Amino acid sequence: MAQVLSSIRVEPIDRLRRLRRTEGLRALAREISLTPEDFIYPLFVRPGRNVREPISSMPGQFRFTVDRLEAEVEEIVRLGIRAVLLFGLAERKDPEAREAWEENGLVPQAVRRIKAIAPELVVITDVCVCAYTDHGHCGIVRDGRVDNDATLALLARMALAHAAAGADLVAPSAMMDGQVRAIREALDEAGFVDVGIMAYSAKFASAFYGPFREAADSAPRFGDRRSYQMDPPNAREALREIERDIAQGADIIMVKPALAYLDVIRRARERFDHPLAAYNVSGEYSMVKAAAQMGWLDEERAMMEILIAIKRAGADRIITYFAKEAARRLRR
């Protein structure tokens, strides 16, 4: 038997391992690469003064008062990250989210402060009212359900307040039909023709949003959001949502969450030429942090593998709470 085996010649047509032998060779053959410019970093701003408050369910993340943003923004710029996505917490909640569209509200204050610190940093603002309503839903509630059309004017007013403060892009995330058109028309009529829209086009009703809802104090007080956020089994419907947002004036489209919806990212990339963002959401971040704290996986390797997978699926930009950590890793 040994003589027979020794006589067998193994001659692969392709020796694919040749280009895996060293890090230099692996880098030479690498198909996907990440840079800090690929990342958009979410920031939470809260009422008050001189507060940098840890978010317990998202280790390494904080809620900042506007006066504490300077050091954070300077670090973001120093790491080579080019854009942030702002979320605001309400001081006063009510059924119609009146605080959401105040011209001198928390998010407009934060936009002006960030632009004063780093004018070149792209500032994107989330346009949704779940953190501002006392019921925690993403629009006006009438007879126990979210009224789509009544909510559109509210979202448009919120976007106008952000644009007036200097936001580069507004990002409607309420998943109301027609929200992109309503915001685009309002921006254009007010003279903000250069303010872009990054649409949460395919936003699924996901279990992975839990830590974010603690961070933004935005959990619904009754029911859930499945009547307006997308049903997770539906990939073809996601493409219809994206197509409609593009027709209504979206400049950038988005799939959210990212990790559980890589197939949707791939299908969107193959079908549409628009810039495509994917949101590596709070639950995807926190589960890696939790597993790493237990010693069950290598946090840095898992982080980079996830981000590479999202880009490999077709995302041009990745909204991620890992942005600063990944940027540090890439700079090394």
Side-chain angles (χ1 to χ4, degrees):
M1 178 66 74
Q3 289 179 341
V4 172
L5 290 174
S6 65
S7 67
I8 297 173
R9 297 191 55 156
V10 180
E11 295 182 353
I13 297 172
D14 294 312
R15 291 187 179 271
L16 298 179
R17 286 178 54 189
R18 287 191 185 110
L19 297 181
R20 302 174 194 156
R21 187 168 52 84
T22 69
E23 176 56 28
L25 288 169
R26 289 192 293 272
L28 191 67
R30 197 157 285 150
E31 299 173 24
I32 294 296
S33 61
L34 288 170
T35 74
E37 294 182 359
D38 291 327
F39 306 137
I40 299 170
Y41 188 50
L43 279 177
F44 296 94
V45 288
R46 52 150 293 166
R49 291 187 58 79
N50 196 31
V51 177
R52 180 178 181 265
E53 177 186 16
I55 300 169
S56 63
S57 61
M58 299 173 66
Q61 301 300 307
F62 300 85
R63 303 180 191 91
F64 296 90
T65 52
V66 172
D67 60 328
R68 290 292 299 272
L69 284 172
E70 184 169 355
E72 185 74 1
V73 169
E74 288 175 347
E75 182 183 25
I76 289 165
V77 172
R78 188 166 59 250
L79 289 169
I81 299 165
R82 296 291 187 88
V84 294
L85 176 58
L86 276 180
F87 297 92
L89 281 76
E91 189 169 19
R92 303 176 308 278
K93 297 174 182 267
D94 63 72
E96 297 186 352
R98 291 181 178 87
E99 196 174 300
W101 65 77
E102 290 181 359
E103 291 184 3
N104 198 39
L106 190 58
V107 170
Q109 288 180 46
V111 172
R112 289 191 286 267
R113 181 64 180 142
I114 292 169
K115 283 298 186 181
I117 298 164
E120 72 280 10
L121 188 65
V122 174
V123 178
I124 309 166
T125 59
D126 183 78
V127 176
C128 188
V129 297
C130 56
Y132 300 89
T133 55
D134 56 5
H135 46 70
H137 279 283
C138 301
I140 300 295
V141 172
R142 290 178 176 162
D143 299 323
R145 59 183 294 273
V146 175
D147 187 321
N148 187 97
D149 294 358
T151 301
L152 297 181
L154 187 157
L155 297 173
R157 291 182 69 179
M158 188 176 184
L160 285 173
H162 297 176
D168 298 290
L169 294 159
V170 293
S173 64
M175 286 302 287
M176 297 294 116
D177 292 336
Q179 63 183 11
V180 173
R181 176 181 288 114
I183 290 170
R184 184 72 271 162
E185 290 177 353
L187 291 172
D188 289 351
E189 288 175 11
F192 296 114
V193 295
D194 292 328
V195 174
I197 296 175
M198 181 174 75
Y200 288 68
S201 300
K203 180 179 178 180
F204 290 84
S206 173
F208 288 101
Y209 301 151
F212 173 91
R213 289 175 181 172
E214 181 214 332
D217 188 25
S218 62
R221 302 297 187 264
F222 66 89
D224 55 42
R225 295 176 180 150
R226 286 182 290 182
S227 67
Y228 44 101
Q229 294 178 356
M230 284 196 58
D231 196 19
N234 294 1
R236 294 194 303 271
E237 184 185 2
L239 301 182
R240 292 172 61 199
E241 288 277 10
I242 293 169
E243 186 173 51
R244 279 154 179 74
D245 279 358
I246 291 172
Q248 292 174 27
D251 300 285
I252 301 173
I253 54 178
M254 186 201 302
V255 174
K256 177 185 180 182
L259 191 56
Y261 297 87
L262 295 174
D263 62 315
V264 178
I265 297 170
R266 168 52 57 188
R267 292 172 72 165
R269 176 73 293 148
E270 291 172 348
R271 181 161 169 181
F272 303 108
D273 292 329
H274 263 53
L276 173 61
Y279 201 145
N280 177 212
V281 298
S282 60
E284 297 169 346
Y285 169 87
S286 294
M287 68 182 183
V288 172
K289 289 288 185 179
Q293 287 177 357
M294 294 298 294
W296 293 339
L297 53 71
D298 181 320
E299 180 181 332
E300 187 174 274
R301 287 187 63 188
M303 169 186 74
M304 297 306 293
E305 191 172 343
I306 286 168
L307 296 174
I308 287 168
I310 295 167
K311 189 169 183 184
R312 189 179 64 241
D316 298 302
R317 295 294 176 264
I318 305 170
I319 304 161
T320 179
Y321 303 96
F322 284 122
K324 291 200 301 180
E325 295 169 72
R328 292 189 196 103
R329 168 67 181 82
L330 293 168
R331 288 167 69 90
R332 292 204 304 269

